[in-house]
Amino acid sequence: MAQKTKLIDVSKCTGCRGCQLACKQWNQQPAAQTENYGTYQNPPDLQSNTWTLIRFQEIADKDSVKWLFRKDGCMHCTDAACVKVCPSGALHYTEYGTVAINNERCIGCKECVSACPFDIPRYDRVTDKIYKCDLCLTRIQAALEPACVKACPTGALKFGDRADMLKLAYKRAAELGGNANVYGDKFVDGTHVLYVLQEKPSTYEKLPANPSVPLSIIAWKDLLKPLSLLAAGGVIAGSFLHYIIHGPKLPDEDQNHKGGE
Amino acid sequence: MTNHWIDFKNSDVILIMGSNPASNHPISFKWIQEAIDKKGAKLVCVDPRFTQSAAKAHLYAPLRSGTDIAVLGGMIKYILDNKLYFEEYVKEYTNSAFLVNPAFKMPGDNKGVFSGLVNAKYDKSTWTFQKDAAGIIKQDKTLRDPMCVFQLLKKHYSRYTPELVSRISGTPKDKLVEVYKTYASTGKPDKAGNILYAMGWTQHTVGVQNIRTMSMIQLLLGNVGIAGGGVQALRGESNVQGSTDQALLFHIIPGYLPTPASSLPTLKAYNEKNTPATKQPDSLNWWKNRPKYMASYIRAVYGTNVSLEEGYNLMPKVDTGANYSWLVLFDQMYKEKFTGFFAWGMNPACSGAHSNKVRKGLTKLDWMVNVNLFDNETGSFWRGPGMDPTKIKTEVFMLPCAASVEKEGSITNSGRWMQWRYKAVNPPGVALPDGDIMSELYYKIKELYEKKGGPLKDAFLKMTWDYGVKGFDGKIKHLDPHAIAKEINGVFQEDKKVENPSKKGEFKEFKKGDPVPSFAWLQDDGSTSSGNWIYCASYADKGNLSARRGTKDASGIGLYSDWSWSWPVNRRIIYNGASVDPSGKPWNPGTPVIRWNGTKWVGDVPDGAGNPGSGRLPFIMKPDGVGSIFGPGLADGPFPEHYEPLECPVEKNLMSPQKNNPAIRRFDKAGVGSDIDVYSGVASCDPRFPFVCSTYRVSEHWQTGVLTRWCPWLAEMQPGMFVEMSLELAKEKNIKNGEKVIVKSARGEVEATAIVTPRFKPFNIDGNAIHQVGIPWHFGWITTKDRVYKPGDKKAEVFTFGDSANLLTPTIGDANTMIPETKAFMVNVVKKGRG
Amino acid sequence: MRKGLIQATDAFERIVHWSLAISCLILCITGLGMMFQSFNFIGTIMGGLKSLKYVHNFTGLFFMATLYFTIRMWWKEAGVFSMPEDMEWMMCAGGYLWHVDKVPEVGKYNPGQKAFFLVVAGCGVMMAITGLIMWFPLSFPTELVRWMFVLHALGFVTIFAFFFVHLYLGTIGSPGSLDAMLSGWVTRAWLKKQHPKWLKEMEHEGKLVVYGEEKTSTGGHGH
């Protein structure tokens, strides 16, 4: 199955938030009570019922101002820390290379929350489960584009085969020039969500400039996890060898005799 | 719109001014983006605040709210000074060469007003053209005569220097010139400049003149009639174009025919008064056909029950000169001149300027019927803030109606496309489509008239009401939208042989009941009907064309002529006769709207094109056949002139001694408005209300939010009233981002959350720092958490915060349309709890 | 019970030991169930992986409580090395790995046991702290939580390995040892082999409790 990818071209995003709503509609996620806290952005952050949201960010210098709109949500890593840590297999790679979540298997351990370099998975206390974007897996399986892409009026969101999206992304970044760059193919073995950013990645709030699977997660899952079996196996084998080579440590004969008095 | 949404992709420069399409017309950016990507178009945004549209623009320039004419007048000067206008177009297709009455005086020489001002009203007798003995307008095609329109234009706008404009508008001079330079680059034949405006231009005391100024620029640059050009009114509601076409406004009946008036007692008098005549040799003067459209309209209303003359007599008439626009209606309501009121799909308690006055006006009614999807601030006004239900006599009825997806019918979008929509689901509970409610009303009123009589009895009883299947009781229960659409198109009322209007000597026979093929076939003798002549051809012999969904684009420029149907006669770009030179060649062969293939025009439906070289003047809806750079039709001047908003932050108008538009109707004058119509900062600055305020919209809410505030997903994204202000102002008022503040005007106050943002900047107005703030107008008390709920009251799933922005806005309107000036009025902002 | 058996542990000690051992075992098994998806089946008998998570978390609480008693009870005897004999014992690995003519005599707990105790105590505390933070990861800085995972796993590696050593030496690797934690009574011969010094000390102090004999002295390990 061809790898699928969503391309987010922030230069074309107008912040209309059609995607944010379409996501809730398709995934039947309820709204929560919010209040204006001095920005257009709401809910303030991703939530267990908000899998994508537009981050509104103002950058001002003396003469000019920029208003950046960035659609935040799961990046669908090829080397996904969340999948790596998920104990139950609830988080898993799909045939399209995306990362989906099987909520029935989720045990609410929240390990993915800590592991994700993009701070995406969100825990819901009521259901004791984790939620995040699955790139509308059921829609992809039905040969439809994800709901957010469908809703986007400006063409800021595109969806297709990974190779095509990569080509498109680099072409667009070249067109835009300046600081424009492609974000997403150079780390975690490539993400299945790509950005064309107009500014340097470090300019955007809550977007890691150099994301990676955290070293701690690698030490844990790639080193200690096998090591635990290795060590246990080693000890068992050692004990066995000890038993057959050295033999058990028995009390001395005479004392044994004496002890039996 | 002269053009349509998709056509934006053909533009080379797009000016967003008086609108914020990124927020309010999101789909428009699909085509704007395409222009940028495929044509390398430049996007320019001029707005008091840095909007979502500004964020996407190549060039942004701020201006103080209410100074658009100054800025655009400066652009006219720039275009003329630098000879950037499209000379041939200007000479051939506009009235620039026309000689004006020598007695005509302009504000520069006449204390800031045009000649003829008497008691806040213009006598337009000097706003005329010089004519020769044959009655033909005198012209100087060299454009040198000092009284020719071109020279007058040049003289008038010579006062609009970048320096002065910058002092008035606060736009930095370099930005101003950059905007001028960028936009004026479209004066070349192969370049198209486009203007997207909305309520940011209309809601001013100079609203119409704002649009006029830009229309003149478009004519000067040869941008009208071409692909990617024109003047685009981005409508604030999906069917405002449709409802305006079908007589939303008091002064017109469907098809932009003037409303019959008491001073015109007969159809003959009506036709004489309202049918323009011209002696210009090549002018088609399309409105000469008005009697045909009026006759057909009368037939549509009364059928053949009465004669045309009788039908006209029956029609209700307005008092000549009387104004029945929104502000006046509610003024009259406040003065207890009404007994009853239908609020039909409207929420005036939030949408009306000076909402406190509107809400008080509602208490003076005997009864009110609220037809809406949800209860709203209007239907429940009697239990709103500050109301004592025990002291209110008004009896309120709620009639729940069907939403757009719960009924069949058509809407007409900004691009004039009539698009048929099907019913998706049944309306909930007892809710009915509006038409069905109207039908029930019809039968009830009919019954009462028959029983009790009353004024205008025959006007009512002689109407035809034949829009569906009648039940056993002889009544139609469900109106058939197709029957209505057919009536709007029009049918032959008798068997008739008619000459083909476009082929002399060819006749066609029609049977009674046959649909009229197009408005060219309409007759003035009563043999045809048409509920709205501009929609004639929408539902003719080929059926319901608005239901078409063809996605072929034969034109290559995105006309998509097989998708739905566009009035008039499926023409996608009006005035397209001006897209070709007098010999018939497209000015821009790259994006031809119409093309002569040797025997006929291909492309769009030609508009005023005639045969190539025939000399036909393209602006056929104008009696003189040309575009009006000099426009004597308006109430406040043939050239737009900068006047300050009624409530403004400056002592005087730097342009002239006349501070405000002299032709507006002030509600604070004796005998006009009411005791609670007050303004601030009119004669001089009012320190109590030092900041300019604009109201506007966000993507997530629609109108007063009656629909959207009840939608939890939308309320979640924009949960309440906010006020946007600059960092500088916030510092001055010691307000922090996210804090609750009170915004006050001379008329009321609202609570809001402060959004302190670098997107707002103080303006440097003639050396003074002037602050502007902005508030959305979608909110209302009924969906708030802290209101009183009685058992059974519906509660919003996600509460919103705050009441209507219109509690602050003034009862003052444009000199022509009476649209309230809600884009520029004066307020104060204080931290909550600080007085 | 045969006469002459010597009491090595009392009931409280044995209860604490087995509480700790069983909870540790459950934690290891359930932990494995979460650590390896191929062991997810372990959750099945508990009614699903989610229940397994709860078993793990609440067993953890029980483990913490017993760990507390364990440490309090054995700290003095097993938590402190007594030099130099413990060092000497360690130099010859207690005679477990190669033939040693004369294993240095150590007290009630040999340095191997002491080391095991210290590992269990140290890792146990670490598992408790890291485990609690992992239970409520959203209340702590992400970077901290991530390293908690590492330490928790590291603790597991260690405990799990030591567990098998303990299992072996407590059973077939050192026949007779199991009795110390089952009945609490061991043979003099076994004691002499395993903990000669302690035997001597107890005898010297007259605290030795021998089945079927009067106490050699009063004021012993009274219960």
Side-chain angles (χ1 to χ4, degrees):
Chain A
M1 196 62 74
Q3 300 265 302
K4 292 288 184 189
T5 291
K6 175 167 76 179
L7 176 60
I8 303 174
D9 181 351
V10 300
S11 72
K12 293 184 185 177
C13 176
T14 56
C16 77
R17 294 197 274 191
C19 52
Q20 194 175 323
L21 190 137
C23 177
K24 289 217 163 183
Q25 188 177 34
W26 178 259
N27 294 300
Q28 303 194 346
Q29 292 301 310
Q33 184 65 53
T34 52
E35 62 180 319
N36 193 309
Y37 58 104
T39 168
Y40 281 30
Q41 187 175 313
N42 239 328
D45 202 351
L46 295 175
Q47 296 171 339
S48 56
N49 62 337
T50 303
W51 302 348
T52 187
L53 73 92
I54 297 290
R55 295 193 180 278
F56 290 77
Q57 185 185 352
E58 292 159 346
I59 301 175
D61 57 32
K62 208 172 139 281
D63 307 309
S64 68
V65 61
K66 283 175 183 165
W67 202 6
L68 308 180
F69 316 119
R70 181 174 73 85
K71 179 184 181 292
D72 198 2
C74 179
M75 296 293 290
H76 296 275
C77 313
T78 302
D79 182 15
C82 61
V83 175
K84 212 183 253 291
V85 300
C86 181
S88 66
L91 285 157
H92 60 278
Y93 299 113
T94 69
E95 64 265 42
Y96 309 102
T98 58
V99 177
I101 181 163
N102 179 347
N103 276 107
E104 278 179 16
R105 301 191 69 160
C106 177
I107 61 169
C109 70
K110 303 175 275 253
E111 287 174 7
C112 52
V113 177
S114 308
C116 175
F118 300 98
D119 186 24
I120 299 300
R122 288 294 183 273
Y123 173 71
D124 176 41
R125 195 185 285 267
V126 177
T127 54
D128 188 27
K129 283 178 191 299
I130 290 295
Y131 298 89
K132 72 160 197 77
C133 157
D134 66 353
L135 213 60
C136 287
L137 182 61
T138 52
R139 288 180 62 96
I140 306 179
Q141 283 163 341
L144 298 169
E145 54 202 354
C148 56
V149 178
K150 177 81 183 164
C152 179
T154 65
L157 302 181
K158 289 207 166 64
F159 180 76
D161 289 349
R162 185 167 164 75
D164 298 342
M165 292 297 112
L166 268 170
K167 221 185 285 169
L168 211 59
Y170 276 98
K171 187 166 161 261
R172 178 69 180 163
E175 266 168 33
L176 288 169
N179 285 330
N181 62 92
V182 177
Y183 180 94
D185 66 326
K186 296 273 163 57
F187 39 76
V188 293
D189 294 350
T191 54
H192 290 77
V193 171
L194 294 172
Y195 281 106
V196 174
L197 300 174
Q198 271 177 303
E199 311 289 333
K200 293 194 192 93
S202 56
T203 308
Y204 294 89
E205 278 165 2
K206 299 222 40 171
L207 186 69
N210 289 301
S212 60
V213 176
L215 185 64
S216 46
I217 302 302
I218 294 172
W220 172 28
K221 288 294 175 179
D222 293 345
L223 194 66
L224 293 173
K225 192 170 138 180
L227 189 66
S228 65
L229 286 191
L230 209 65
V235 166
I236 293 169
S239 303
F240 180 71
L241 287 174
H242 181 263
Y243 190 80
I244 60 170
I245 295 169
H246 187 83
K249 190 177 182 184
L250 292 168
D252 296 340
E253 285 294 325
D254 55 339
Q255 283 159 340
N256 195 22
H257 177 69
K258 196 180 166 188
E261 274 176 0
Chain B
M1 281 191 194
T2 56
N3 298 37
H4 59 104
W5 297 100
I6 296 174
D7 186 58
F8 296 2
K9 71 173 185 165
N10 294 315
S11 304
D12 294 288
V13 179
I14 296 172
L15 173 62
I16 292 174
M17 191 166 171
S19 70
N20 177 16
S23 293
N24 302 329
H25 304 88
I27 194 70
S28 68
F29 258 78
K30 179 187 177 80
W31 308 110
I32 295 171
Q33 191 65 49
E34 196 165 325
I36 293 171
D37 289 346
K38 300 218 169 125
K39 287 202 81 170
K42 287 275 170 281
L43 183 62
V44 182
C45 180
V46 181
D47 201 290
R49 63 191 176 114
F50 190 90
T51 59
Q52 279 162 262
S53 303
K56 297 285 118 181
H58 298 101
L59 171 60
Y60 165 72
L63 87 169
R64 171 169 63 92
S65 193
T67 62
D68 303 73
I69 291 174
V71 169
L72 295 176
M75 190 188 296
I76 292 178
K77 177 176 162 57
Y78 182 89
I79 290 167
L80 297 178
D81 288 354
N82 295 287
K83 296 209 163 41
L84 297 168
Y85 51 92
F86 187 169
E87 194 168 353
E88 196 178 357
Y89 187 103
V90 168
K91 273 186 188 163
E92 302 296 334
Y93 294 163
T94 75
N95 61 14
S96 62
F98 288 16
L99 302 188
V100 175
N101 187 333
F104 172 68
K105 282 209 177 73
M106 298 196 292
D109 311 320
N110 199 39
K111 296 183 182 147
V113 300
F114 293 93
S115 49
L117 185 71
V118 186
N119 293 332
K121 232 184 146 138
Y122 276 112
D123 166 6
K124 301 187 198 168
S125 55
T126 59
W127 304 3
T128 51
F129 296 121
Q130 299 176 33
K131 290 185 179 166
D132 65 14
I136 296 172
I137 296 166
K138 287 190 192 166
Q139 299 196 36
D140 173 21
K141 287 273 187 187
T142 68
L143 307 181
R144 290 208 191 103
D145 189 300
M147 279 317 282
C148 83
V149 167
F150 188 80
Q151 289 301 327
L152 291 175
L153 180 80
K154 206 167 180 174
K155 186 178 166 199
H156 180 61
Y157 289 107
S158 66
R159 300 147 62 223
Y160 289 63
T161 62
E163 293 74 19
L164 182 59
V165 170
S166 174
R167 279 167 64 206
I168 291 172
S169 67
T171 313
K173 200 182 134 192
D174 58 329
K175 289 274 177 203
L176 212 50
V177 173
E178 210 180 334
V179 171
Y180 294 167
K181 194 174 164 189
T182 308
Y183 199 78
S185 71
T186 63
K188 300 188 183 73
D190 61 345
K191 294 283 176 199
N194 205 347
I195 167 64
L196 316 184
Y197 80 90
M199 271 62 83
W201 269 358
T202 56
Q203 291 173 354
H204 290 280
T205 42
V206 292
V208 175
Q209 295 286 16
N210 281 334
I211 301 152
R212 265 281 295 156
T213 324
M214 195 65 211
S215 306
M216 287 158 58
I217 290 172
Q218 290 297 70
L219 288 174
L220 286 172
L221 298 174
N223 280 334
V224 179
I226 63 170
V231 178
Q232 322 307 335
L234 312 184
R235 300 307 214 138
E237 198 254 27
S238 50
N239 196 22
V240 157
Q241 184 62 54
S243 55
T244 313
D245 299 339
Q246 307 295 352
L248 169 76
L249 305 171
F250 79 92
H251 70 294
I252 44 173
I253 58 174
Y256 301 94
L257 306 174
T259 307
S262 54
S263 61
L264 303 169
T266 64
L267 181 58
K268 190 161 170 275
Y270 174 90
N271 283 336
E272 272 170 13
K273 170 87 198 309
N274 294 316
T275 309
T278 183
K279 299 265 166 59
Q280 297 306 103
D282 295 318
S283 175
L284 198 57
N285 182 23
W286 195 263
W287 276 119
K288 71 180 177 223
N289 296 308
R290 190 165 256 156
K292 295 176 184 170
Y293 307 147
M294 187 61 180
S296 299
Y297 177 74
I298 294 170
R299 278 284 178 255
V301 175
Y302 294 111
T304 46
N305 296 344
V306 295
S307 71
L308 287 181
E309 190 60 44
E310 215 178 321
Y312 179 81
N313 291 343
L314 287 176
M315 286 175 75
K317 315 228 166 13
V318 295
D319 288 334
T320 304
N323 190 301
Y324 301 90
S325 67
W326 183 280
L327 292 180
V328 178
L329 286 184
F330 284 94
D331 187 58
Q332 296 295 304
M333 188 185 293
Y334 181 78
K335 290 172 183 162
E336 301 186 58
K337 299 280 169 61
F338 284 87
T339 50
F341 173 57
F342 273 83
W344 204 310
M346 288 271 173
N347 186 15
C350 284
S351 66
H354 198 352
S355 292
N356 274 325
K357 182 179 177 184
V358 173
R359 292 174 186 190
K360 285 193 176 119
L362 297 172
T363 68
K364 301 182 179 185
L365 295 165
D366 289 346
W367 57 265
M368 178 178 75
V369 183
N370 188 29
V371 190
N372 217 311
L373 306 180
F374 295 96
D375 185 23
N376 54 15
E377 288 76 7
T378 301
S380 274
F381 78 92
W382 48 272
R383 55 174 177 166
M387 293 285 175
D388 178 359
T390 61
K391 295 201 175 109
I392 293 167
K393 59 171 179 167
T394 317
E395 190 178 3
V396 180
F397 303 90
M398 170 82 195
L399 300 183
C401 59
S404 58
V405 294
E406 294 161 357
K407 63 191 176 193
E408 192 176 357
S410 77
I411 66 131
T412 302
N413 74 5
S414 304
R416 296 168 289 102
W417 294 3
M418 175 190 179
Q419 306 194 81
W420 200 259
R421 290 175 170 186
Y422 300 93
K423 176 174 155 180
V425 288
N426 285 323
V430 294
L432 291 176
D434 297 303
D436 293 2
I437 296 176
M438 235 172 269
S439 192
E440 273 193 44
L441 271 171
Y442 167 79
Y443 288 113
K444 191 70 202 170
I445 294 168
K446 187 169 172 237
E447 199 182 302
L448 287 169
Y449 263 132
E450 279 164 352
K451 229 186 268 174
K452 297 183 178 171
L456 296 170
K457 176 184 164 194
D458 283 340
F460 195 89
L461 294 180
K462 304 264 173 166
M463 270 196 306
T464 58
W465 197 263
D466 198 14
Y467 305 117
V469 183
K470 288 198 169 84
F472 293 118
D473 56 357
K475 295 176 182 172
I476 299 162
K477 201 155 179 330
H478 296 297
L479 287 199
D480 175 9
H482 292 273
I484 298 165
K486 282 177 193 162
E487 181 180 276
I488 288 171
N489 179 85
V491 293
F492 278 88
Q493 300 287 313
E494 56 194 60
D495 295 353
K496 192 167 169 100
K497 197 173 168 187
V498 186
E499 186 177 20
N500 186 337
S502 52
K503 255 195 196 140
K504 283 254 182 289
E506 186 187 297
F507 285 83
K508 202 173 168 197
E509 287 202 38
F510 292 94
K511 291 260 171 293
K512 184 180 176 182
D514 280 352
V516 182
S518 82
F519 55 70
W521 298 80
L522 291 174
Q523 305 295 317
D524 61 4
D525 58 0
S527 57
T528 56
S529 73
S530 175
N532 188 335
W533 72 275
I534 58 175
Y535 282 81
C536 191
S538 64
Y539 209 128
D541 42 349
K542 292 192 197 75
N544 183 4
L545 297 185
S546 68
R548 293 185 303 175
R549 293 295 180 265
T551 50
K552 250 182 50 206
D553 177 31
S555 70
I557 58 165
L559 296 181
Y560 294 97
S561 303
D562 298 332
W563 179 278
S564 75
W565 181 88
S566 175
W567 73 256
V569 288
N570 203 31
R571 182 174 294 135
R572 304 289 160 144
I573 297 179
I574 55 179
Y575 311 125
N576 62 37
S579 72
V580 294
D581 68 17
S583 71
K585 285 200 226 29
W587 296 117
N588 182 0
T591 54
V593 185
I594 54 169
R595 225 162 13 90
W596 184 260
N597 71 358
T599 47
K600 61 172 187 177
W601 293 105
V602 292
D604 201 3
V605 178
D607 188 2
N611 285 351
S614 69
R616 165 78 56 78
L617 294 170
F619 291 91
I620 59 170
M621 301 313 285
K622 305 298 293 183
D624 310 328
V626 289
S628 301
I629 285 180
F630 183 86
L634 297 183
D636 45 356
F639 287 135
E641 164 78 349
H642 168 69
Y643 296 113
E644 287 293 334
L646 184 67
E647 294 196 340
C648 70
V650 294
E651 280 297 330
K652 54 182 188 186
N653 181 356
L654 294 176
M655 191 63 76
S656 79
Q658 176 64 34
K659 191 171 179 186
N660 310 116
N661 186 340
I664 51 174
R665 177 193 183 107
R666 294 254 305 249
F667 282 75
D668 59 345
K669 293 273 193 242
V672 189
S674 70
D675 55 325
I676 56 169
D677 280 308
V678 285
Y679 307 122
S680 70
V682 177
S684 67
C685 295
D686 187 337
R688 294 176 304 155
F689 305 106
F691 312 127
V692 186
C693 185
S694 264
T695 63
Y696 45 78
R697 306 173 187 220
V698 299
S699 305
E700 291 76 10
H701 288 291
W702 205 46
Q703 312 289 77
T704 64
V706 171
L707 189 70
T708 52
R709 276 187 274 132
W710 293 103
C711 179
W713 289 325
L714 296 170
E716 181 190 44
M717 288 196 278
Q718 279 293 6
M721 190 65 182
F722 59 79
V723 54
E724 294 185 274
M725 66 183 77
S726 68
L727 276 61
E728 292 82 354
L729 177 60
K731 198 174 163 198
E732 195 179 310
K733 303 292 282 184
N734 190 26
I735 292 165
K736 286 187 194 67
N737 191 35
E739 272 185 336
K740 289 274 187 291
V741 297
I742 308 288
V743 188
K744 291 182 185 185
S745 79
R747 294 155 296 275
E749 58 179 62
V750 284
E751 197 176 332
T753 306
I755 295 184
V756 179
T757 168
R759 296 180 291 102
F760 275 65
K761 285 264 172 223
F763 293 100
N764 176 0
I765 306 297
D766 199 24
N768 298 315
I770 300 291
H771 292 285
Q772 174 145 10
V773 300
I775 51 178
W777 68 287
H778 306 292
F779 298 101
W781 60 267
I782 205 150
T783 46
T784 58
K785 190 179 175 192
D786 48 7
R787 60 165 269 220
V788 178
Y789 286 93
K790 297 237 168 73
D793 282 353
K794 185 180 167 67
K795 279 188 188 179
E797 226 171 280
V798 172
F799 294 113
T800 63
F801 171 81
D803 207 343
S804 175
N806 278 314
L807 293 167
L808 308 179
T809 55
T811 316
I812 189 73
D814 171 76
N816 294 281
T817 61
M818 292 292 281
I819 290 183
E821 186 159 57
T822 53
K823 289 290 184 269
F825 56 96
M826 300 303 290
V827 299
N828 194 9
V829 182
V830 291
K831 211 165 172 160
K832 196 186 171 188
R834 291 263 181 98
Chain C
M1 201 173 309
R2 284 183 299 158
K3 271 191 176 177
L5 288 183
I6 298 163
Q7 189 179 29
T9 59
D10 61 29
F12 183 73
E13 279 178 294
R14 291 194 300 278
I15 289 170
V16 169
H17 170 268
W18 286 112
S19 297
L20 191 72
I22 292 168
S23 60
C24 184
L25 188 66
I26 293 174
L27 285 171
C28 285
I29 292 170
T30 52
L32 273 175
M34 289 190 283
M35 197 165 186
F36 294 91
Q37 277 167 29
S38 40
F39 290 148
N40 277 179
F41 66 87
I42 297 166
T44 316
I45 54 161
M46 299 172 193
L49 205 61
K50 193 159 197 165
S51 312
L52 179 141
K53 177 187 84 170
Y54 287 118
V55 170
H56 187 83
N57 291 356
F58 288 98
T59 306
L61 290 181
F62 182 77
F63 172 81
M64 283 176 225
T66 53
L67 186 68
Y68 166 75
F69 287 111
T70 306
I71 293 172
R72 204 181 69 166
M73 189 167 67
W74 282 333
W75 183 254
K76 280 204 186 114
E77 290 169 325
V80 186
F81 287 97
S82 56
M83 293 306 164
E85 62 269 24
D86 281 354
M87 181 55 80
E88 287 165 16
W89 189 93
M90 277 189 282
M91 296 298 279
C92 63
Y96 280 93
L97 299 180
W98 58 88
H99 180 75
V100 180
D101 285 336
K102 179 79 180 123
V103 178
E105 294 193 349
V106 291
K108 182 170 181 183
Y109 295 105
N110 68 44
Q113 287 173 304
K114 285 181 183 176
F116 179 70
F117 167 78
L118 285 171
V119 166
V120 170
C123 288
V125 169
M126 184 174 82
M127 294 306 266
I129 294 169
T130 55
L132 280 173
I133 292 174
M134 286 167 68
W135 197 343
F136 305 100
L138 307 185
S139 316
F140 299 93
T142 307
E143 197 55 33
L144 176 78
V145 177
R146 285 175 184 165
W147 286 104
M148 293 303 105
F149 292 142
V150 179
L151 293 179
H152 205 75
L154 191 66
F156 172 73
V157 171
T158 316
I159 289 179
F160 198 46
F162 270 74
F163 176 83
F164 285 108
V165 174
H166 187 62
L167 188 68
Y168 172 66
L169 292 178
T171 55
I172 58 170
S174 178
S177 301
L178 193 59
D179 290 336
M181 276 301 159
L182 286 178
S183 63
W185 299 87
V186 294
T187 62
R188 183 174 290 269
W190 177 87
L191 203 55
K192 186 150 190 195
K193 175 81 180 177
Q194 304 290 357
H195 307 283
K197 194 177 171 197
W198 182 72
L199 181 64
K200 279 180 195 162
E201 277 169 12
M202 293 296 279
E203 280 178 328
H204 180 73
E205 290 169 22
K207 289 180 184 168
L208 210 59
V209 181
V210 183
Y211 191 74
E213 285 181 15
E214 291 300 310
K215 278 184 189 164
T216 50
S217 158
T218 51
H221 208 317
H223 291 280

